[in-house]
Amino acid sequence: QYLEMTNEYVVDHSTSKWSRLSRDSLAAGALARFNNNFSYLHPAARELAEGLSLKPGVHNPFLNNTAQLVECVHIIHESTALLGELIDRRRKKSRTAVSPRKGYGVGAVEVPRGILYHAFDFDESGRIMMADCVIPTSQNHANIHYDLQELVRQSVVTGRNDKEIRKLAEMLVRAYDPCISCSVH
């Protein structure tokens, strides 16, 4: 039921798909995961977050990259532990035979920019007949747009010049860490 979560739509002024859930936009990615999963972070990652004054409940998109750094520390510790477990198992057979058949499957996985949803429809010989990928950047497009509008509004009110506004806008887009070439499909 991933389509109920992603709600992709197209706007007149863009070739990119946008997504919404309970409002006009949503934000996926490190900052959202940080806010939702702070208590599950590895102690070293929590310590780094606290040292950087990053606390759960933050919604400033400029802090997404900081949340990504915290995640990197978490991932290093978690990956080390998981690799240790895999090495200890010493499986004799690590692969399972696969026989092609007709079917439909949907998957979701957390990736650096957010949740990647993917769905595939296979024919009897296992060929992909339909594929749908909803990538995090397309989920963030609307939020980026609305954040840019608000950034410009606030910047004009505070008297920033065009050069300053442009620099802040570029910083904001980069903070979302978009993969534009992947999201326009």
Side-chain angles (χ1 to χ4, degrees), residues 122-139:
F122 300 92
D123 70 8
E124 300 80 20
S125 62
R127 288 181 300 193
I128 298 172
M129 303 308 291
M130 183 283 301
D132 183 26
C133 296
V134 183
I135 67 157
T137 297
S138 67
Q139 294 171 55

Side-chain angles (χ1 to χ4, degrees), residues 5 10 13 20 24 28-29 34 76 82-83 90 93 101 106 111 121 129 144 151 158 167 169 171 176-177 181:
M5 294 294 298
V10 178
H13 61 277
R20 63 177 152 232
D24 289 338
F34 176 84
I76 288 169
L82 288 171
L83 287 170
R90 298 183 189 267
K93 188 175 182 182
R101 63 184 172 119
V106 176
V111 296
D121 194 6
M129 303 308 291
I144 293 169
L151 175 79
T158 58
K167 183 176 181 177
M171 290 170 59
Y176 275 94
D177 194 19
S181 61

Side-chain angles (χ1 to χ4, degrees), residues 4 30 36 48 54 64 86 91 95 112 121 147 172 175 179 181:
E4 293 175 18
N36 290 325
L48 174 62
L54 186 64
N64 186 55
L86 288 172
R91 289 186 170 178
R95 296 183 184 250
D121 194 6
D147 279 353
L172 177 64
C179 180
S181 61

Side-chain angles (χ1 to χ4, degrees), residues 11-178:
V11 293
D12 291 337
H13 61 277
S14 176
T15 57
S16 302
K17 290 182 179 177
W18 290 17
S19 294
R20 63 177 152 232
L21 187 53
S22 58
R23 56 180 190 250
D24 289 338
S25 66
L26 61 96
L31 195 58
R33 286 190 298 266
F34 176 84
N35 284 327
N36 290 325
N37 300 301
F38 179 80
S39 62
Y40 299 108
L41 284 175
H42 187 276
R46 268 198 312 266
E47 183 180 331
L48 174 62
E50 290 164 4
L52 295 170
S53 300
L54 186 64
K55 297 177 181 167
V58 65
H59 300 287
N60 180 344
F62 287 104
L63 293 174
N64 186 55
N65 299 129
T66 306
Q68 287 175 321
L69 176 63
V70 170
E71 280 191 332
C72 285
V73 171
H74 174 80
I75 289 166
I76 288 169
H77 287 279
E78 288 291 308
S79 297
T80 302
L82 288 171
L83 287 170
E85 288 176 27
L86 288 172
I87 290 168
D88 287 345
R89 287 185 192 169
R90 298 183 189 267
R91 289 186 170 178
K92 292 180 182 169
K93 188 175 182 182
S94 62
R95 296 183 184 250
T96 302
V98 176
S99 298
R101 63 184 172 119
K102 184 177 177 73
Y104 177 78
V106 176
V109 63
E110 281 288 345
V111 296
R113 291 176 180 91
I115 300 174
L116 169 63
Y117 296 96
H118 45 98
F120 300 95
D121 194 6
F122 300 92
D123 70 8
E124 300 80 20
S125 62
R127 288 181 300 193
I128 298 172
M129 303 308 291
M130 183 283 301
D132 183 26
C133 296
V134 183
I135 67 157
T137 297
S138 67
Q139 294 171 55
N140 286 332
H141 272 149
N143 223 55
I144 293 169
H145 173 81
Y146 294 124
D147 279 353
L148 281 169
Q149 282 184 326
E150 182 59 21
L151 175 79
V152 170
R153 188 194 67 73
Q154 288 178 17
S155 294
V156 168
V157 169
T158 58
R160 288 195 167 98
N161 64 41
D162 288 351
K163 186 177 178 182
E164 293 170 318
I165 294 171
R166 179 184 174 128
K167 183 176 181 177
L168 281 172
E170 289 172 353
M171 290 170 59
L172 177 64
V173 171
R174 281 193 304 274
Y176 275 94
D177 194 19

